[in-house]
Amino acid sequence: MYKIPGHHHISMITKDAATNNHFYREVLGLRRVKKTVNQDSPSMYHLFYGDLTGSAGTELSFFEMTNAGRTVRGTNAITQIGLLVPSLESLTYWKQRFEQLDVMHGDITTYAGRAALPFEDSEGLRLILLNNNGEDIPEFWSAWEGSGVDQEHRILGMGTVEITVRHVERTASTLRDLFGYAEVARSEEGAIYQSVEGQAFGEIVLKKLEGPSEKPGRGSIHHLAIRVKNEEELRYWDGVVKERGFDSSGVIDRFYFQSLYFRDSNGILFEIATDGPGFTKDSTVEALGTKLDLPPFLEGRRGEIEAKLQPID
């Protein structure tokens, strides 16, 4: 059986790509590694931020939906994104930075056993910085030296992702019995699962909450993608997902990676995505994110697509 080596990316909804672009580049100091469009609806931007090359496990991705209303928070949703920073001192640095830049944030606290600093972006998306405390990170994560954040405090990549559900055991069973995640904590309030023992870069917190389901809007999380190495592994998981009784999208070629989608029994949308070929498939490392890149099947519509997009730089 193949093992899931961690998170791949996470995708959100933004109402305003220009504001989003400013926050994740200028406030969080991430690199915009790909400016492209939603392949299923190319009239909207699809922006990716991450490390030097947008390595799997560092990618935050946003669909611009200009008609998005506000999110009505509730259950059966992915509700918070953890981002790893190097040290406890980094949390103090970020708290001061958020105060200077007028970013909504809480106090330094503890989350899933780690020192943590919760904050929100300009559209109310809930994020939390987590002290990685010198622990291992994937060896292929590469720092971007163009970041405006002090080198010793830069965001490393994705950490613990929180999923809020009515029925914890349903999603727990998907993680544990289907994908082989290990349960490392359990209480009446929820449970914690890890794809790689002891590591936050593949950790998911399940939180129990009764009540109505979340109504997504700006600042909501659309789906979580988990990593597989290649197409062979992806096709293996496609079979496993179907055997489990879930409806799979089947393997889709997203040009920068291949993936499939399914919803679990709580309605949580998961994507399974390959590590490669990556965002340098149609760009040099130096030029990543600097222009509008389109997959080959959309290139013939470039003029039409560009005419519908507002400049964000």
Side-chain angles (χ1 to χ4, degrees):
M1 177 179 169
Y2 294 115
K3 295 286 290 182
I4 301 296
H7 308 316
H8 187 281
H9 68 269
I10 193 162
S11 293
M12 286 69 69
I13 296 171
T14 179
K15 184 180 178 66
D16 188 318
T19 300
N20 178 272
N21 181 63
H22 171 79
F23 186 88
Y24 288 88
R25 297 174 76 187
E26 305 302 326
V27 176
L28 295 192
L30 301 176
R31 186 180 195 189
R32 189 180 71 201
V33 290
K34 190 61 62 176
K35 181 170 71 169
T36 186
V37 295
N38 182 343
Q39 294 180 12
D40 300 321
S41 182
S43 62
M44 67 173 72
Y45 276 116
H46 193 183
L47 305 176
F48 289 84
Y49 309 94
D51 69 357
L52 176 67
T53 60
S55 305
T58 72
E59 303 167 31
L60 305 182
S61 116
F62 291 85
F63 302 107
E64 185 192 40
M65 299 184 179
T66 56
N67 62 347
R70 71 180 183 91
T71 297
V72 180
R73 291 176 177 172
T75 194
N76 285 3
I78 305 168
T79 46
Q80 186 173 252
I81 304 164
L83 300 173
L84 299 173
V85 294
S87 67
L88 184 60
E89 291 74 21
S90 298
L91 297 180
T92 301
Y93 167 89
W94 279 99
K95 189 172 188 295
Q96 294 170 349
R97 182 174 176 86
F98 290 159
E99 288 166 354
Q100 293 166 0
L101 298 177
D102 199 26
V103 174
M104 184 174 292
H105 66 282
D107 293 323
I108 294 175
T109 184
T110 300
Y111 182 81
R114 295 174 181 272
L117 177 65
F119 70 101
E120 294 184 3
D121 76 0
S122 52
E123 294 180 301
L125 175 66
R126 289 179 285 190
L127 304 106
I128 189 164
L129 297 176
L130 302 168
N131 177 15
N132 194 53
N133 200 31
E135 295 175 19
D136 290 342
I137 57 174
E139 60 183 14
F140 55 84
W141 286 7
S142 301
W144 178 49
E145 297 306 325
S147 175
V149 172
D150 290 358
Q151 182 176 0
E152 65 270 31
H153 301 307
R154 291 173 188 161
I155 292 168
L156 302 169
M158 288 175 63
T160 308
V161 172
E162 180 184 280
I163 301 177
T164 300
V165 292
R166 286 193 201 93
H167 305 288
V168 168
E169 185 53 32
R170 292 182 182 179
T171 299
S173 178
T174 299
L175 297 175
R176 182 185 62 233
D177 303 332
L178 195 159
F179 290 117
Y181 282 61
E183 182 177 294
V184 297
R186 168 75 75 147
S187 70
E188 291 184 3
E189 289 76 36
I192 301 177
Y193 288 87
Q194 294 174 343
S195 65
V196 180
E197 187 175 357
Q199 301 297 341
F201 55 76
E203 185 171 78
I204 294 175
V205 166
L206 299 183
K207 182 177 166 185
K208 181 177 176 60
L209 180 66
E210 301 289 347
S213 297
E214 178 178 284
K215 294 182 180 179
R218 56 185 179 271
S220 65
I221 301 170
H222 188 263
H223 67 266
L224 170 66
I226 58 178
R227 285 179 55 205
V228 296
K229 189 180 299 182
N230 52 35
E231 184 181 353
E232 177 184 332
E233 291 190 13
L234 182 62
R235 293 195 179 278
Y236 165 81
W237 288 113
D238 187 37
V240 171
V241 165
K242 290 173 179 174
E243 287 173 13
R244 184 84 176 179
F246 296 124
D247 291 329
S248 167
S249 67
V251 174
I252 301 172
D253 185 357
R254 293 299 190 192
F255 189 62
Y256 305 112
F257 49 84
Q258 293 181 305
S259 70
L260 65 86
Y261 304 82
F262 77 97
R263 289 189 185 274
D264 83 339
S265 302
N266 281 309
I268 303 301
L269 183 59
F270 288 96
E271 182 178 8
I272 311 173
T274 60
D275 282 351
F279 294 125
T280 56
K281 184 171 182 180
D282 59 355
S283 174
T284 64
V285 172
E286 294 74 20
L288 280 171
T290 59
K291 61 182 181 63
L292 182 69
D293 289 322
L294 298 175
F297 77 94
L298 289 176
E299 190 59 53
R301 297 172 57 189
R302 177 173 287 274
E304 167 200 343
I305 290 169
E306 289 183 337
K308 295 178 179 179
L309 299 173
Q310 296 296 317
I312 60 174
D313 293 308

